């Protein structure tokens, strides 16, 4: 007897209609003039917080005062001074009690507030999900208008895992009341390093 | 061979016993629909996006066998283990075998309508496996011993007080506390412990990219990622129609999906799984379960374009007032009503009739499925195949006969009017389902036919 695979493929091939053409994705006119302002507005609307900054030391000082004494992890060497020393994050589970993860990214999307991160930016895939709070550092120049430009930039990059994260983890499953902090981070801070 | 009751009507009646709840359910879903409208109108290119998405999906269906082969090849290269399942049974067996191989008896699962369709939870529970649904809404209905009533909002039929009581009984929260913030925090703690201790996680799949062999899972809560990244083994289950050709097409679909579903610009998490992390296994189960058959039905094949946003449910006047459970199938509402008869015409013969054919579903569908046309066409198929209730078939035949015969038609009209006038209780009672939530209209004094005859004579004669 033919394998399930072969049976399925045979049935699909037999039943699929004549080939239709794949459409070209149009070049949509950019719907907003100020991409950075759009990003800030959208992120606020989806429950995130934004800090436009001019330098890394500014980020360190904001985080230091907000998360004083709590565990902070980041693979960004620029803010090394605030990272908690001496904790051995040997595997994914070791991050279970982490208070704040700080991740630097080079791609964000104005229309939906999302930040793109790939596995190589984080020590463990679970990091941006398991931390109680999450912060991203992006450059203003790295914000693209829509998802079309985002995928253009991603291109054929070969990652093991990549994700768009837009805002803090949330749910509205109980009577459609929005609650931030479902399973992932309860808050999301985005630092935008403004262009000179 | 005839089914005696139209089940949707019977189950909807049960839901309608609580009028206040129906009102609330109706208004809440309409509110979600309005959020969808606002999000859609904020994009000038919305209609063009829908058209593009529809054409991409048409292309997928027309070349699905090639795309499946390309996807499999890439996924295997990426280190993903690919399985094929002809039907629900085989899908469930494949999952169970992976669990047995790893000697795992406890798993976490994020939302997957496919596993609902296959009744995976029941199957695994019978095999002694403890399955914890981790989407908050799905966990709530799981604790209540119910299936989800909506594909995006699984417990939209539940009031917060009922959820508070469920959590009190099952999770030990204080009795009487029904605060959504408090209950969500309790679920967070309860489920975190599960994420950290379970060795196998099951997720669904929103999109699978033929070009790259990666698949994308979208959640707002982060439960799919928490499960998958903490487990040693990730099992992802998908219907074969979830394939899209290229990575850049994700841009089109991710722009449409959540705006259509809840009015958000995108889900909080859109995770692209391409390769297993070191030391981990990813298994992908490709499931047919009737999809290749539906692909062969010319009138119904484009139901397979569905991206499971739920917009057709939120807008449907019947769904909003009858509740998801009245559809007695994993995927409720208009889209469920055109998918289910393909799985079992006899079991789901009632569903294409659970619609007013108003067409609102078609208007909001982000991939332009002509849902209301298909509902209408399914009715014809079901009547021809003899799956509709005998009473409906006979009254339809009676009506067809009367409408085709002028003398009989006139007589029937007169008789009807006489009965409505003299004996309204004969129609306006509990035996006539149409009038259970309605008042009878006043019968007209004369028929149009009589009026016309009189007035034409007046005009011609004097």
């Amino acid at each position: 007897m033919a394998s399930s695979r072969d049976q399925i493929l045979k049935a699909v091939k037999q039943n699929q209609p004549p080939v239709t053409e794949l459409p070209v994705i149009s070049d949509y006119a950019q719907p907003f003039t100020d991409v950075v302002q759009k990003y800030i507005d959208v992120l606020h609307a989806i429950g995130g917080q934004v800090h436009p900054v001019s330098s890394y030391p500014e980020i360190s000082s904001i985080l230091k005062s907000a998360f004083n004494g709590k565990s902070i992890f980041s693979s960004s060497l620029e803010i090394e001074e605030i990272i908690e020393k001496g904790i051995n994050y040997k595997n994914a589970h070791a991050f279970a009690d982490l208070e704040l993860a700080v991740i630097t990214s080079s791609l964000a999307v104005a229309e939906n507030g999302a930040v793109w991160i790939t596995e190589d930016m984080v020590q463990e895939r679970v990091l941006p999900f398991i931390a109680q709070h999450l912060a991203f550092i992006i450059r203003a120049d790295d914000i693209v208008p829509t998802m079309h430009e985002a995928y253009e930039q991603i291109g054929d990059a070969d990652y093991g895992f990549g994700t768009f994260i837009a805002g803090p983890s949330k749910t509205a499953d109980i009577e459609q009341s929005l609650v931030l902090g479902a399973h992932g981070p309860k808050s999301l801070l985005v630092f935008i390093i403004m262009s000179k | 061979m005839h089914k005696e009751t139209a089940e949707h009507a019977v189950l909807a009646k049960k839901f309608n016993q609580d009028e206040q709840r129906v009102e609330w359910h109706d208004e809440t879903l309409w509110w979600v629909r309005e959020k969808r409208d606002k999000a859609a109108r904020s994009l000038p290119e919305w209609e063009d996006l829908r058209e593009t998405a529809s054409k991409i999906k048409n292309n997928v269906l027309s070349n699905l066998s090639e795309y499946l082969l390309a996807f499999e090849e890439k996924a295997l290269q990426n280190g993903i283990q690919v399985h094929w399942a002809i039907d629900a049974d085989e899908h469930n067996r494949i999952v169970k075998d992976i669990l047995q191989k790893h000697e795992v008896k406890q798993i976490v699962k994020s939302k997957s309508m496919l596993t609902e369709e296959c009744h995976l939870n029941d199957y695994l529970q019978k095999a002694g496996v403890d399955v914890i649904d981790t989407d908050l809404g799905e966990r709530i209905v799981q604790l209540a011993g119910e299936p989800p009533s909506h594909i995006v909002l699984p417990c939209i039929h539940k009031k917060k007080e009922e959820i508070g009581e469920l959590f009190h009984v099952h999770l030990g929260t204080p009795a009487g506390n029904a605060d959504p913030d408090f209950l969500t925090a309790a679920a967070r703690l309860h489920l975190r412990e599960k994420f950290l201790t379970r060795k196998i996680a099951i997720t669904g799949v929103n999109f699978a990219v033929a070009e790259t062999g990666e698949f994308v899972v979208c959640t707002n809560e982060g439960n799919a990622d928490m499960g998958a990244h903490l487990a040693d083994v990730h099992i992802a289950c998908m219907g074969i129609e979830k394939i899209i050709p290229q990575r850049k097409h994700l841009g089109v679909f991710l722009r449409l999906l959540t705006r259509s579903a809840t009015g958000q610009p995108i889900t909080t998490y859109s995770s692209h799984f391409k390769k297993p992390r070191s030391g981990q296994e990813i298994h992908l189960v490709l499931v047919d379960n009737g999809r290749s058959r539906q692909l062969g039905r010319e009138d119904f094949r484009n139901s397979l374009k569905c991206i499971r946003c739920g917009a057709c449910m939120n807008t449907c006047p019947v769904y909003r007032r009858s509740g998801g459970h009245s559809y007695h199938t994993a995927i409720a509402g208009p889209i469920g009503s055109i998918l289910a008869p393909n799985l079992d015409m006899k079991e789901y013969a009632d569903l294409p009739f659970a619609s007013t054919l108003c067409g609102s579903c078609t208007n909001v569908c982000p991939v332009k499925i002509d849902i209301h046309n298909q509902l209408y066409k399914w009715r014809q198929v079901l009547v021809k195949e003899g799956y509709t209730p005998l009473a409906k078939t006979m009254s339809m035949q009676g009506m067809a006969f009367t409408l085709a015969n002028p003398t009989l038609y006139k007589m029937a009209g007169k008789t009807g009017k006489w009965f409505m006038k003299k004996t309204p209780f004969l129609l306006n009672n509990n035996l006539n389902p149409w009038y259970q939530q309605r008042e009878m209209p006043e019968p007209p004094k004369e028929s149009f036919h009589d009026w016309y005859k009189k007035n034409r004579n007046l005009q011609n004669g004097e």
Side-chain angles (χ1 to χ4, degrees):
Chain A
M1 208 180 87
S3 69
S4 295
R5 174 186 180 276
D6 295 346
Q7 284 182 61
I8 293 168
L9 286 169
K10 192 178 152 203
V12 168
K13 197 171 179 138
Q14 214 160 47
N15 289 343
Q16 66 195 21
V19 175
T20 61
E21 223 173 294
L22 202 53
V24 176
I25 302 173
S26 314
D27 256 333
Y28 301 111
Q30 193 171 308
F32 29 86
T33 44
D34 187 341
V35 173
V36 177
Q37 191 55 47
K38 176 72 181 178
Y39 182 85
I40 292 172
D41 293 345
V42 172
L43 196 71
H44 279 148
I46 59 174
Q49 303 159 45
V50 186
H51 286 284
V53 294
S54 56
S55 67
Y56 281 101
E58 208 180 327
I59 298 170
S60 296
S61 98
I62 292 169
L63 287 177
K64 220 192 280 180
S65 66
F67 291 89
N68 193 21
K70 308 261 177 65
S71 54
I72 301 176
F73 179 84
S74 177
S75 42
S76 292
L77 296 176
E78 294 89 344
I79 56 162
E80 204 178 14
E81 54 160 318
I82 62 161
I83 299 167
E84 186 155 3
K85 312 282 185 307
I87 297 182
N88 179 16
Y89 294 109
K90 58 189 183 306
N91 60 32
H93 289 70
F95 288 102
D97 296 319
L98 182 68
E99 190 68 13
L100 173 72
V102 188
I103 301 166
T104 303
S105 160
S106 54
L107 178 58
V109 187
E111 68 162 334
N112 56 28
V115 169
W116 171 250
I117 57 171
T118 49
E119 194 168 23
D120 54 317
M121 303 175 190
V122 293
Q123 184 160 335
E124 284 284 345
R125 290 181 186 186
V126 82
L127 180 67
F129 306 96
I130 200 169
Q132 297 291 330
H133 301 273
L134 180 62
F136 289 128
I137 303 171
I138 55 172
R139 291 186 174 278
D141 294 341
D142 292 335
I143 303 174
V144 297
T146 73
M147 293 299 281
H148 304 301
E149 293 82 13
Y151 278 106
E152 223 165 82
Q153 193 155 320
I154 292 168
D156 59 359
D158 185 26
Y159 44 75
F161 172 76
T163 185
F164 283 104
I165 298 183
S169 153
K170 61 174 80 72
T171 182
D173 274 343
I174 302 176
E175 284 200 7
Q176 284 296 293
S177 302
L178 181 67
V179 180
L180 301 184
H183 301 297
K186 298 172 189 167
S187 75
L188 175 77
L189 271 156
V190 176
F191 294 99
I192 305 178
I193 301 178
M194 305 303 280
S195 323
K196 294 273 153 55
Chain B
M1 73 174 274
H2 291 287
K3 252 175 81 168
E4 288 309 316
T5 52
E7 273 196 78
H8 177 270
V10 174
L11 295 167
K13 190 175 161 189
K14 210 170 118 196
F15 186 72
N16 273 271
Q17 278 165 358
D18 186 345
E19 269 189 49
Q20 274 185 329
R21 185 188 298 253
V22 177
E23 288 286 307
W24 176 79
H25 190 264
D26 180 18
E27 282 167 16
T28 307
L29 288 161
W30 184 252
W31 178 66
V32 179
R33 151 81 210 252
E34 285 178 322
K35 288 200 293 181
R36 172 259 170 217
D37 290 348
K38 215 177 136 202
R41 283 166 200 156
S42 73
L43 293 188
E45 64 269 38
W46 183 258
E47 288 305 318
D48 192 72
L49 277 175
R50 284 179 75 211
E51 185 61 27
T52 308
S54 169
K55 282 182 177 156
I56 296 171
K57 283 284 186 175
N58 284 338
N59 169 268
V60 168
L61 296 183
S62 73
N63 198 27
L64 188 57
S65 59
E66 289 302 313
Y67 285 137
L68 281 164
L69 280 170
F71 175 76
E72 181 194 39
E73 190 189 333
K74 287 285 176 186
L76 290 171
Q77 277 171 20
N78 294 338
I80 293 175
Q81 302 181 45
V82 180
H83 308 259
W84 298 76
I86 277 212
D87 55 18
D89 277 348
E90 190 173 10
H91 162 265
N92 293 346
R93 270 202 312 278
I94 289 168
V95 173
K96 192 181 79 177
D97 287 348
I98 299 170
L99 266 55
Q100 276 175 348
K101 201 183 102 196
H102 290 86
E103 298 175 358
V104 164
K105 288 265 177 197
Q106 297 178 310
I107 62 166
V108 284
K109 179 161 118 359
S110 73
K111 207 191 281 168
S112 150
M113 294 322 298
L114 176 71
T115 62
E116 290 293 329
E117 176 187 318
C118 296
H119 303 290
L120 177 69
N121 281 17
D122 283 349
Y123 176 89
L124 289 180
Q125 270 147 21
K126 277 184 196 130
V129 177
D130 176 41
V131 184
I132 303 273
D133 280 322
T134 58
D135 172 82
L136 178 58
E138 285 212 324
R139 184 65 183 139
I140 288 165
V141 290
Q142 188 179 37
L143 291 176
E146 297 171 9
S149 70
H150 187 293
I151 59 174
V152 175
L153 320 162
C155 68
I156 191 66
H157 61 291
K158 286 234 174 292
K159 302 292 289 180
K160 62 184 178 196
E161 290 75 18
E162 296 168 297
I163 297 166
E165 177 59 22
L166 275 173
F167 277 28
H168 171 62
V169 172
H170 294 277
L171 309 183
T173 55
N177 194 329
D179 176 60
D181 280 294
F182 176 80
L183 296 175
T184 303
R188 178 184 171 95
L189 284 178
H190 158 68
L191 289 167
R192 243 176 201 245
E193 188 267 326
K194 310 293 178 201
F195 288 128
L196 287 164
T197 51
R198 299 304 188 255
K199 304 286 180 215
I200 294 187
I202 298 181
T203 72
V205 170
N206 290 89
F207 306 100
V209 183
E211 174 190 47
T212 59
E214 73 198 301
F215 60 90
V216 176
V217 184
C218 304
T219 72
N220 277 321
E221 298 183 5
N223 55 315
D225 288 281
M226 283 290 275
H229 305 316
L230 287 167
D232 299 333
V233 179
H234 173 188
I235 306 172
C237 305
M238 62 176 269
I240 50 173
E241 82 284 18
K242 288 277 174 281
I243 299 265
I244 59 171
Q246 297 161 16
R247 187 184 270 170
K248 70 176 180 197
H249 295 139
L250 288 168
V252 175
F253 290 106
L254 291 179
R255 295 189 82 193
L256 287 166
L257 176 63
T258 322
R259 285 184 173 97
S260 298
T262 60
Q264 291 170 258
I266 192 170
T267 45
T268 306
Y269 305 106
S270 309
S271 290
H272 302 45
F273 294 85
K274 191 152 176 269
K275 299 169 189 172
R277 66 176 202 276
S278 112
Q280 187 215 27
E281 289 176 19
I282 295 183
H283 294 262
L284 188 95
V285 191
L286 287 160
V287 184
D288 183 338
N289 203 34
R291 286 162 176 77
S292 59
R293 182 172 60 235
Q294 184 88 323
L295 188 62
R297 299 187 204 269
E298 197 182 339
D299 285 342
F300 305 114
R301 66 164 59 108
N302 86 20
S303 60
L304 296 170
K305 288 155 71 180
C306 176
I307 57 171
R308 304 290 190 262
C309 70
C312 61
M313 304 180 182
N314 304 339
T315 201
C316 177
V318 175
Y319 175 88
R320 281 188 276 120
R321 292 179 186 83
S322 61
H325 288 157
S326 64
Y327 293 80
H328 58 93
T329 172
I331 299 172
I335 183 66
S337 300
I338 59 172
L339 291 172
N342 173 56
L343 292 174
D344 187 337
M345 278 201 218
K346 185 160 178 251
E347 173 76 16
Y348 301 116
D350 53 324
L351 294 185
F353 294 91
S355 164
T356 63
L357 303 184
C358 72
S360 186
C361 44
T362 303
N363 288 338
V364 297
C365 177
V367 289
K368 293 198 166 182
I369 302 170
D370 58 334
I371 303 175
H372 73 297
N373 285 337
Q374 293 189 40
L375 286 164
Y376 177 61
K377 284 175 184 164
W378 265 121
R379 292 181 184 186
Q380 297 169 45
V381 172
L382 291 163
V383 170
K384 262 187 212 141
E385 304 273 330
Y387 288 118
T388 43
L390 193 58
K392 182 173 257 156
T393 312
M394 280 181 62
S395 63
M396 284 294 170
Q397 280 166 353
M399 198 161 92
F401 183 68
T402 311
L403 289 176
N405 183 326
T407 317
L408 203 61
Y409 174 72
K410 262 181 263 174
M411 210 172 78
K414 279 208 176 97
T415 318
K417 278 203 294 294
W418 188 86
F419 274 110
M420 277 170 86
K421 234 180 271 177
K422 305 289 176 192
T423 59
F425 52 88
L426 276 183
L427 293 166
N428 199 356
N429 64 33
N430 278 333
L431 295 175
N432 182 353
W434 186 249
Y435 289 107
Q436 275 168 20
Q437 279 84 28
R438 296 177 183 86
E439 291 296 323
M440 283 289 290
E442 286 288 313
K445 286 189 184 65
E446 57 187 351
S447 70
F448 173 75
H449 185 87
D450 292 340
W451 178 89
Y452 181 71
K453 216 159 69 181
K454 209 162 66 192
N455 283 276
R456 187 187 55 181
N457 288 345
L458 279 175
Q459 226 172 30
N460 291 352
E462 283 133 60

